[in-house]
Amino acid sequence: MAVKKATIDTLLEEDRIFHPPEEFTQQANIKSREIYAEARANPKIFWAMQAERLDWFRKWDKVLEWNPPFAKWFVNGKLNACYNCIDRHLKTWRKNKAAIIFEGEPGDSRVLTYWDLYREVTRFANILKKLGVQKGDRVAIYMPMIPEAVVAMLACARLGAPHSVVFGGFSSESLRDRILDAQAKVLITADGGWRRGKIVPLKHNADAALAETPCVEKVLVVKRTGQEVSMLDGRDYWYHEMAEETPTGCPCEEVDAEDILFILYTSGTTGKPKGVVHTTGGYLVGTSTTHYMVFDIKDDDVYWCTADIGWITGHSYVVYGPLANGTTVLLYEGAPDWPNPGRFWAIVEKYHVNVFYTAPTAIRAFMKWGDEWPGRYDLSSLRLLGTVGEPINPEAWVWYHKNIGGERCPIVDTWWQTETGMIMITPLPGVTPLKPGSATVPFPGIEVDVVDKDGNSVMLGKGGFLAIKEPWPAMLRTIYGDDQRYVDTYWNKIPGKMLYFAGDGARRDYHNYYWILGRVDDVINVAGHRLSTMEVESALVDHPWVAEAAAIGKSHAIKGQAISVFVTLKAHAFEQLKSGARQRSEFQDELKAHVVKKIGAIARPDDVFFTAELPKTRSGKIMRRLLRDIAEGRALGDTTTLADPAVIAELKRKYESRES
Ligand code: 7RM
């Protein structure tokens, strides 16, 4: 019965095809599939042509220098990312075009034209200079979603100072680790940001981090929420005070195409976050090209990508791609359900948003909140929808298509990663027929494969590892300060073959469409955000009660995956639990709060289960795969490598009856 149903589901998925509406194709930036053949015939010429959409101070000598796995794109080209996102537009009619339309959570709003943005960014850059920032210095940014966050990033880019944006939802300790790894000299933060009517106390969190980051010399604080915060004399400066005495107008540093534009930390299979390094030329070519073609962007569009600037999607498709293209970008500070679940649709109606890009987890939340919310608003301005962050289930796709897109908007399901910098597998909305749940096909000029453990292509219809076969312009260049980890994590997984290993499973169907099957490594994808099992486990074992812990991702209707943890307590704590001296819920709450303190609220485990023993191999490795089987209520997979098979049967029985 179960098997039969699975077969039917698969057939249904394959059968539903949505062709691009003719009216859409007629007006599309890319109208024909020829571009795929052109790019494949000569990828370097294709990317060189795309590079022409940028302004270069000096043209490159060579498109690509590939010393696997180290790439240089647009060798000896000189440019500036901020110049490309702002200054060059000032010489055109776009000077007075809206660059950023900002909607604050409390309902305040601001519009910054490209000329306004120029004035803000140049003044901000001058302030950073006063605080000692020079080309090559790292600057950490820990900000809410307000225009100053974008201004801060662009000001760094203007000076050639790599930024490291740390998501505002991360804890002090996460911020500290990232500041230390990059040895940031300056931190830019705010007093706070608004989230569901409450203040996220950014400066307060930053203070705790700053107590342990001697590398930070100065802190620049933007006033947003207005509550009292402590300011350390000689280290902390208010932005609005410095702005009063700082002029606008600041020259752009001429940087090399391969100079670092930013570092962004992401979770891998081990506990220590990886500083993904992106450089300037290739990154800007890759993000502006994909933004233009995938989002079919037009000069009169209002474009809204709901990602926070703390994630790669915020970097590539809120800031650099769209602004390089002279787009009007909508920026919203707060939560989708504040003050009610209609907030996003109220914003779409208010600003006549045309292109909307969000994550499957958000779409599933909208579904749960009910069709009546989008139903109350006029969403007829929308012409194109997008998703990113995790596989979208066909049901959510179809809901999005109907309830948000009015069955008229194509949906671009875009697969990519922090490391790829740019969209890699995606429809082109004017040419690619869509199948709900599939990210469709590789972007022109991108060579992808699905391979087995020896690196051989698997047959159509079969699952395997998603791999990228050729370098691409926005690829990560290394892990900050750790070339070896870069090589080992991404390029050495399949011995003897130079393939980029994405860490995702995938399948190709008989039309050569890609279906992403989720992570194959120890990475949990919670609401489209990557966390490693190791990070969560190290946070837990840091607690004095915990002897050992195993974290897994468990399917979750809204978040895609939720974190479940299996914890072995130390003897004294275990005694207290057994004797009832302390309630189980007390233990659970305390450990959940501890993970939040160490990593941030996104890492809060949904479920904490206590167990006397964890299933291990003979060499002592925790078998998370079996814990996943237990948590999902599935039959146990292969248990032959277990050191003590009795442990797992007992654990399964207890988990199902909820005792320990
Ligand atoms: C952009 C971003 C990357 C991981 C990636 C996948 C998953 C992202 C899709 C997707 C299926 C998609 N960067 N992922 N997009 N899975 N379909 N369209 O999310 O570095 O934070 O995460 O996200 O597992 O490896 S990320």
Side-chain angles (χ1 to χ4, degrees):
M1 190 57 197
V3 173
K4 225 174 177 178
K5 188 169 180 299
T7 327
I8 293 166
D9 278 350
T10 319
L11 287 176
L12 277 178
E13 277 174 13
E14 309 255 348
D15 275 359
R16 271 183 294 187
I17 294 188
F18 294 74
H19 290 276
E22 213 167 288
E23 318 79 75
F24 193 97
T25 304
Q26 272 166 16
Q27 60 82 60
N29 290 348
I30 304 298
K31 297 183 177 61
S32 136
R33 304 163 199 283
E34 277 163 34
I35 190 167
Y36 290 100
E38 279 168 23
R40 172 157 295 164
N42 199 331
K44 285 183 201 163
I45 291 182
F46 174 74
W47 290 118
M49 271 164 56
Q50 301 312 322
E52 300 286 349
R53 62 178 77 246
L54 300 182
D55 278 20
W56 298 80
F57 299 143
R58 180 186 186 281
K59 204 175 158 163
W60 60 89
D61 297 327
K62 214 171 147 189
V63 176
L64 171 65
E65 205 172 279
W66 181 222
N67 295 309
F70 295 97
K72 286 185 178 161
W73 281 86
F74 307 109
V75 181
N76 294 328
K78 308 282 177 207
L79 77 170
N80 181 288
C82 182
Y83 182 91
N84 275 281
C85 289
I86 304 178
D87 302 52
R88 64 173 178 152
H89 304 313
L90 307 177
K91 295 180 245 165
T92 72
W93 65 270
R94 294 194 188 91
K95 178 180 173 194
N96 295 317
K97 175 179 174 175
I100 296 176
I101 298 176
F102 170 67
E103 172 92 358
E105 196 191 70
D108 53 323
S109 62
R110 271 164 79 189
V111 177
L112 281 89
T113 64
Y114 275 92
W115 178 247
D116 292 331
L117 195 57
Y118 169 81
R119 297 176 66 246
E120 296 279 330
V121 168
T122 52
R123 185 163 50 207
F124 206 107
N126 283 331
I127 293 173
L128 291 179
K129 275 191 189 165
K130 283 189 189 169
L131 297 179
V133 175
Q134 292 176 0
K135 186 174 180 175
D137 289 339
R138 275 81 57 216
V139 175
I141 299 179
Y142 186 58
M143 289 278 275
M145 279 289 281
I146 57 176
E148 287 78 5
V150 179
V151 169
M153 290 166 76
L154 292 170
C156 290
R158 195 167 190 90
L159 300 178
H163 54 68
S164 162
V165 181
V166 179
F167 172 53
F170 276 136
S171 66
S172 314
E173 299 187 23
S174 301
L175 175 62
R176 175 199 62 198
D177 295 346
R178 286 159 174 75
I179 289 176
L180 288 175
D181 189 79
Q183 286 291 297
K185 186 174 180 184
V186 164
L187 170 68
I188 303 166
T189 186
D191 50 356
W194 291 109
R195 187 83 190 170
R196 296 204 174 83
K198 295 207 182 79
I199 291 172
V200 180
L202 294 168
K203 177 62 165 69
H204 176 82
N205 295 348
D207 284 337
L210 289 164
E212 296 172 73
T213 55
C215 53
V216 175
E217 294 167 13
K218 303 285 180 194
V219 179
L220 187 61
V221 187
V222 175
K223 201 187 206 63
R224 168 66 181 150
T225 42
Q227 83 282 18
E228 188 96 38
V229 295
S230 66
M231 297 288 282
L232 190 68
D233 223 25
R235 186 194 67 185
D236 301 352
Y237 298 84
W238 282 111
Y239 168 64
H240 63 272
E241 287 176 4
M242 293 207 62
E244 263 176 44
E245 55 201 46
T246 307
T248 62
C250 165
C252 278
E253 280 290 331
E254 187 174 298
V255 311
D256 189 87
E258 282 299 326
D259 281 345
I260 301 180
L261 177 58
F262 65 86
I263 304 166
L264 183 62
Y265 287 83
T266 191
S267 297
T269 44
T270 67
K272 191 171 175 269
K274 297 175 288 200
V276 170
V277 171
H278 282 291
T279 58
T280 308
Y283 175 80
L284 218 54
V285 171
T287 53
S288 61
T289 305
T290 46
H291 180 258
Y292 175 79
M293 295 184 184
V294 175
F295 297 107
D296 189 49
I297 215 69
K298 300 293 191 300
D299 253 320
D300 52 5
D301 278 333
V302 175
Y303 163 86
W304 185 13
C305 164
T306 66
D308 191 282
I309 48 126
W311 309 109
I312 190 69
T313 309
H315 285 60
S316 301
Y317 299 107
V318 175
V319 182
Y320 290 109
L323 296 179
N325 289 336
T327 305
T328 297
V329 174
L330 195 132
L331 199 70
Y332 170 56
E333 177 184 30
D337 55 350
W338 188 266
N340 64 51
R343 186 63 187 271
F344 272 19
W345 319 126
I347 294 173
V348 168
E349 182 182 89
K350 178 173 176 187
Y351 297 105
H352 278 208
V353 172
N354 307 103
V355 179
F356 179 73
Y357 188 34
T358 196
T361 182
I363 297 167
R364 289 190 295 263
F366 301 142
M367 285 172 77
K368 189 183 92 176
W369 295 331
D371 305 0
E372 60 272 23
W373 287 106
R376 277 181 208 171
Y377 299 90
D378 178 5
L379 305 182
S380 62
S381 58
L382 291 171
R383 61 179 196 88
L384 178 63
L385 304 174
T387 80
V388 62
E390 50 176 319
I392 182 165
N393 40 313
E395 191 198 354
W397 194 103
V398 170
W399 184 91
Y400 192 33
H401 188 253
K402 176 164 181 269
N403 292 278
I404 308 304
E407 291 178 335
R408 107 197 134 257
C409 307
I411 298 178
V412 287
D413 176 351
T414 61
W415 178 89
W416 59 295
Q417 310 178 293
T418 306
E419 293 87 344
T420 68
M422 58 185 263
I423 293 169
M424 302 292 280
I425 305 181
T426 178
L428 293 180
V431 306
T432 316
L434 308 174
K435 299 188 192 187
S438 168
T440 73
V441 296
F443 188 79
I446 302 297
E447 295 297 332
V448 181
D449 203 354
V450 179
V451 300
D452 63 17
K453 60 175 188 353
D454 302 317
N456 301 314
S457 297
V458 302
M459 285 189 303
L460 295 187
K462 293 266 180 292
F465 301 113
L466 188 66
I468 304 169
K469 293 196 289 188
E470 298 292 338
W472 64 100
M475 66 190 275
L476 80 165
R477 297 303 193 261
T478 189
I479 301 291
Y480 192 69
D482 201 344
D483 283 351
Q484 193 56 47
R485 195 174 174 199
Y486 165 71
V487 176
D488 293 343
T489 311
Y490 303 107
W491 300 92
N492 259 356
K493 292 284 179 207
I494 298 159
K497 300 222 172 164
M498 253 315 144
L499 287 174
Y500 171 87
F501 180 84
D504 281 339
R507 173 173 72 82
R508 244 179 326 210
D509 70 16
Y510 293 94
H511 293 124
N512 252 306
Y513 272 41
Y514 285 76
W515 298 78
I516 310 296
L517 305 170
R519 302 292 302 182
V520 293
D521 51 19
D522 288 327
V523 172
I524 313 180
N525 191 330
V526 184
H529 301 136
R530 278 163 60 174
L531 292 162
S532 79
T533 54
M534 270 284 297
E535 264 175 298
V536 178
E537 289 162 9
S538 7
L540 285 163
V541 293
D542 172 77
H543 193 284
W545 295 344
V546 176
E548 204 170 31
I552 57 151
K554 178 180 175 175
S555 329
H556 184 279
I558 309 285
K559 293 189 273 193
Q561 288 193 309
I563 300 171
S564 279
V565 299
F566 292 76
V567 172
T568 307
L569 292 171
K570 287 186 185 156
H572 67 276
F574 194 58
E575 281 313 311
Q576 290 186 319
L577 178 69
K578 277 284 172 204
S579 67
R582 210 192 284 262
Q583 291 289 306
R584 180 185 312 264
S585 59
E586 247 181 276
F587 278 97
Q588 290 170 325
D589 293 347
E590 165 75 16
L591 295 184
K592 287 180 189 178
H594 190 69
V595 175
V596 171
K597 175 170 166 275
K598 300 293 288 186
I599 307 175
I602 42 164
R604 180 192 298 276
D606 268 33
D607 188 27
V608 180
F609 185 78
F610 299 106
T611 173
E613 267 178 284
L614 290 166
K616 288 187 187 161
T617 61
R618 273 171 282 259
S619 64
K621 283 199 178 120
I622 299 173
M623 292 188 70
R624 295 187 189 78
R625 172 170 63 75
L626 295 175
L627 294 173
R628 278 195 294 268
D629 290 340
I630 291 179
E632 304 281 10
R634 293 190 294 244
L636 293 173
D638 184 8
T639 56
T640 51
T641 54
L642 272 178
D644 179 1
V647 168
I648 195 78
E650 181 68 358
L651 184 60
K652 187 168 165 63
R653 191 184 62 75
K654 286 185 169 167
Y655 188 87
E656 280 162 8
S657 63
R658 277 298 151 139
E659 25 160 330
S660 57

